[in-house]
Amino acid sequence: MSRVLVGAEGRVGEEVQVEQGSSGPAQFWRGQSRYVVGELLDSWVETAPWWQADSAERRGASADLVATRQVWRLEAVRAGRSRMSFAGVFDLSWEPTANQWLLVRVHD
């Protein structure tokens, strides 16, 4: 089962701070908690959700409607905890048009 996170203004995703490694996110901060990435499980590119665009943008072509974002699915553990018993699976997305990282999904 997974849970999609909803952030400010009903947008999908919760803003997080990310430190990148050579092949993707190495750790991220959600609020005051730091999560260390144990394993990168998958990554893909997807088109940003068109239904989140402003109504004015929907009337005409917009670069945001076809903009892509990179998504990483990773296993991470809260810093200081054992990976064997406390690891979780998270989807992080880099949003280039907003210049921000989002935590978009938490998998149970």
Side-chain angles (χ1 to χ4, degrees), residues 42-98:
D42 200 1
S43 68
W44 61 91
V45 175
E46 60 185 34
T47 303
W50 59 265
W51 58 89
Q52 292 178 355
D54 292 335
S55 59
E57 290 179 348
R58 288 187 204 154
R59 286 177 264 179
S62 170
D64 290 342
L65 296 178
V66 293
T68 59
R69 63 182 179 182
Q70 181 78 31
V71 181
W72 286 266
R73 180 162 292 159
L74 48 89
E75 181 184 73
V77 64
R78 189 178 294 186
R81 300 247 175 126
S82 165
R83 182 176 175 213
M84 297 302 288
S85 58
F86 293 103
V89 177
F90 305 89
D91 289 355
L92 294 177
S93 171
W94 169 246
E95 304 290 333
T97 56

Side-chain angles (χ1 to χ4, degrees), residues 11-12 15 25 27 29-30 37 42 52 56 60 64-65 68 72 88 92 101 104:
R11 294 199 61 199
V12 172
E15 188 171 3
Q27 57 185 342
W29 287 261
R30 183 179 185 199
V37 175
D42 200 1
Q52 292 178 355
D64 290 342
L65 296 178
T68 59
W72 286 266
L92 294 177
W101 283 91
V104 293

